């Protein structure tokens, strides 16, 4: 009898345990929180996001990231929530098990802008304790932008455990962004948070500090006002530095486009209105090279510009020599006819390219080493413009060396200073003219390679730079390379400082007026060439 009684007691205990387990399973907070996504209501979705984050479940982060990426779906009929992976397969959000086939009524969980902002902060809070420093840094930056007060306890925990200096600074800034606007925080804590945001600087800091309510304690408002003034002054300085960088970038482009024109104009006195089309031909050479590499050897794409540079120089230079031999040499001493002939030639070249490649813009990609950007303080520097400045400097130095240390360069300088005396000394001026025109056109070709990385490659590419190139040459001094350098950088920087106040069009008009006034005082430009024929 006692044995039978013991067995009954054991069976009863097992039943109680099973019932308790089933009750615990049904009361799983993670599974319960997922049910909020079934209602297709923004308010219920907001509650579900907070409940999933608070559950501490290992799959909570995956579910919320899927919701953030638009990969969280639900089925009202099956009363289940699903996660769609990158391959298109569906998984049960609660267990992670693959679901195949998916229910017929499956649909995305909807989000609005408020939920997206909330979700960014919650996801950031969940990844604050990640083992990957890059993920922790990204999470801290996300919390800084969302300023979700619900992540404050997690931030404090992460700050206490963080060892990486950069991540710890980002965590401190995220915490300060929340505390500064919190009415529940002590005034001393808010003032300290304002100091951290002030030290961070940037437009985000101004936005956070401006959002501190007017009913905040007087010391907090005074600290916020002083911090805003300090950050804005700092931003003004960095804005001037950024404009200077943009001006140097534009000036390097103008120098590259104008340097060939300076040589041609200085040696031959020819106003070449087709110079911009030589730039355009160099850009299209780059496009053709990249198309061939994509078709036959994609592994060489990072070397496409290095391959295109000599080809663009040779092709544009050959076209320049052909133009000089067949058109220009019959028009020396007739500037108006030369101008009209080269203008007509520019139209012919544009139409030829338009017929061969079409009128639309062509895709010229950036190699990996010219992609991306980095920041110095509040200034952003893109790698493509940085490399263009470096390349322009190298091209300028190489050209100076060629003119200074080679026989052809010596003869070019002689013809520039006194053509008649150079001819009397046995220099074949006709040969020098052809080589000069070819050299100027070749340099324009490599300018096209550089411009293909920052501008649209189309038949009209050169038209946007020909007028500015002439302004650079005239302002700097005809035929003087150093004058061309100073003129290009001066015009580039002046343009970028005028644009924010006058706009792009009025800025260019103002520059043109200033150059006209300058030329009235110095008709030969800033750096006039010296020579008997020139001075005569």
């Amino acid at each position: 009898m006692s044995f039978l009684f013991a067995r009954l007691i054991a069976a009863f205990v097992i039943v109680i345990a099973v019932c308790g387990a089933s009750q615990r399973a049904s009361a799983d907070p993670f599974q319960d929180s997922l049910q909020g996504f079934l209602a297709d209501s923004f308010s219920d979705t907001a509650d579900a996001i907070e409940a999933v984050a608070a559950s501490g479940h290992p799959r909570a982060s995956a579910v919320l990231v899927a919701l953030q990426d638009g990969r969280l779906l639900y089925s009202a009929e099956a009363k289940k929530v699903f996660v769609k992976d990158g391959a298109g397969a569906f998984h049960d959000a609660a267990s992670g098990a693959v679901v195949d086939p998916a229910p017929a009524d499956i649909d995305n969980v909807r989000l609005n802008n408020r939920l997206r902002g909330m979700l960014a902060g919650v996801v950031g809070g969940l990844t604050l304790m990640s083992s990957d420093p890059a993920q922790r840094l990204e999470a801290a930056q996300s919390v800084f932008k969302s300023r979700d007060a619900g992540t404050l306890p997690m931030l404090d925990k992460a700050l206490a455990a963080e060892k990486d200096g950069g991540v710890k600074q980002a965590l401190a800034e995220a915490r300060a962004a929340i505390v500064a606007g919190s009415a529940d925080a002590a005034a001393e804590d808010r003032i300290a948070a304002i100091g951290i945001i002030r030290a961070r600087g940037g437009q985000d800091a101004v936005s956070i500090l401006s959002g501190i309510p007017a009913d905040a304690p007087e010391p907090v408002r005074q600290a916020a006002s002083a911090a805003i003034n300090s950050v804005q002054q700092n931003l003004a300085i960095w804005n001037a530095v950024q404009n200077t960088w943009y001006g140097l970038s534009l000036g390097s482009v103008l120098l590259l486009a104008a340097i060939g024109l300076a040589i041609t104009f200085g040696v031959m006195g020819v106003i070449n209105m087709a110079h911009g089309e030589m730039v355009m031909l160099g850009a299209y050479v780059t496009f053709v090279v990249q198309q061939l590499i994509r078709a036959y050897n994609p592994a060489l794409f990072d070397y496409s510009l290095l391959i295109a540079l000599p080809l663009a120089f040779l092709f544009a230079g050959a076209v320049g020599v052909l133009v000089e031999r067949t058109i220009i040499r019959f028009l020396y001493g007739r500037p108006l006819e030369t101008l009209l002939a080269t203008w007509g030639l520019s139209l012919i070249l544009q139409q030829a390219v338009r017929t061969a490649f079409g009128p639309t813009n062509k895709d010229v990609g950036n190699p990996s080493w010219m992609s991306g950007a980095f920041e110095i303080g509040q200034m952003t520097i893109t790698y493509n413009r940085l490399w263009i400045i470096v390349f322009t400097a190298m091209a300028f130095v190489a050209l100076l060396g060629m003119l200074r240390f080679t026989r052809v360069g010596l003869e070019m300088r002689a013809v520039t200073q006194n053509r008649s005396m150079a001819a009397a000394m046995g220099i074949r001026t006709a040969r020098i003219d052809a080589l000069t025109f070819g050299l100027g056109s070749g340099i324009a070709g490599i300018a096209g390679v550089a411009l293909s990385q920052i501008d649209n490659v189309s038949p009209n590419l050169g038209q946007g730079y020909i007028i500015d190139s002439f302004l650079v040459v005239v302002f700097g001094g005809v035929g003087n390379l150093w004058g061309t350098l100073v003129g290009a950088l001066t015009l580039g920087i002046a343009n970028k400082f005028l644009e924010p106040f006058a706009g792009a069009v009025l800025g260019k008009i103002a520059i043109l007026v200033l150059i006209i006034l300058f030329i009235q005082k110095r008709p030969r430009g800033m750096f006039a060439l010296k020579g008997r024929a020139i001075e005569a």
Side-chain angles (χ1 to χ4, degrees), residues 11 18 25 65 76 96 152 181 205 244 269 283 285 300 333 339 342 384 405 414 425 457 479 490 495 497 517 531:
V18 170
V65 169
L152 197 55
T244 303
V285 168
L300 289 176
L339 187 149
T342 54
N384 57 355
F405 298 110
M425 296 295 295
V457 176
T490 301
N495 260 311
F497 273 93
L517 295 176

Side-chain angles (χ1 to χ4, degrees), residues 137-185:
L137 179 61
E138 184 179 353
Q141 292 169 344
S142 177
V143 173
F144 178 85
K145 292 177 181 177
S146 67
R147 302 195 286 280
D148 182 7
T151 61
L152 197 55
M154 185 64 74
L155 273 173
D156 290 333
K157 182 179 177 182
L159 263 171
E162 186 58 60
K163 303 298 182 185
D164 186 287
V167 178
K168 192 161 191 173
Q169 178 67 24
L171 289 170
E173 291 169 354
R175 185 183 186 280
I178 297 172
V179 172
S182 175
D184 298 331

Side-chain angles (χ1 to χ4, degrees), residues 163-214:
K163 303 298 182 185
D164 186 287
V167 178
K168 192 161 191 173
Q169 178 67 24
L171 289 170
E173 291 169 354
R175 185 183 186 280
I178 297 172
V179 172
S182 175
D184 298 331
E188 295 78 8
D189 293 339
R190 296 178 74 178
I191 292 172
I194 289 170
I196 294 174
I197 297 170
R198 175 178 181 169
R200 184 184 192 275
Q203 197 59 48
D204 288 338
V206 174
S207 176
I208 292 170
L209 295 170
S210 300
I212 293 177

Side-chain angles (χ1 to χ4, degrees), residues 421-468:
M421 182 60 71
M425 296 295 295
I427 296 175
R428 295 164 55 193
T429 56
R431 170 176 167 271
I432 293 301
D433 288 338
L435 291 176
T436 301
F437 206 88
L439 177 63
S441 299
I443 294 173
I446 62 175
V449 176
L451 287 174
S452 70
Q453 300 300 295
I454 59 173
D455 208 340
N456 296 322
V457 176
S458 71
N460 300 319
L461 171 65
Q463 293 299 301
Y465 295 93
I466 184 65
I467 302 300
D468 287 338

Side-chain angles (χ1 to χ4, degrees), residues 3-68:
F3 176 72
L4 180 60
F5 181 74
R7 293 189 65 178
L8 286 173
I9 293 296
F12 180 73
V13 170
I14 291 172
V15 170
I16 293 297
V18 170
C19 291
S22 103
Q23 285 180 353
R24 284 193 301 271
S26 65
D28 183 354
F30 179 64
Q31 290 190 6
D32 289 346
S33 63
L34 292 177
Q35 300 303 305
F37 295 121
L38 301 175
D40 195 26
S41 162
F42 290 140
S43 60
D44 288 340
T45 299
D47 293 339
I49 290 171
E50 291 180 348
V52 169
S55 70
H57 196 277
R59 290 192 52 76
S61 178
V63 169
L64 294 179
V65 169
L67 177 59
Q68 194 174 35

Side-chain angles (χ1 to χ4, degrees), residues 295-307:
Y296 296 105
N297 196 344
L300 289 176
F301 188 81
D302 276 350
Y303 302 96
S304 59
L305 295 190
L306 300 179
I307 297 171

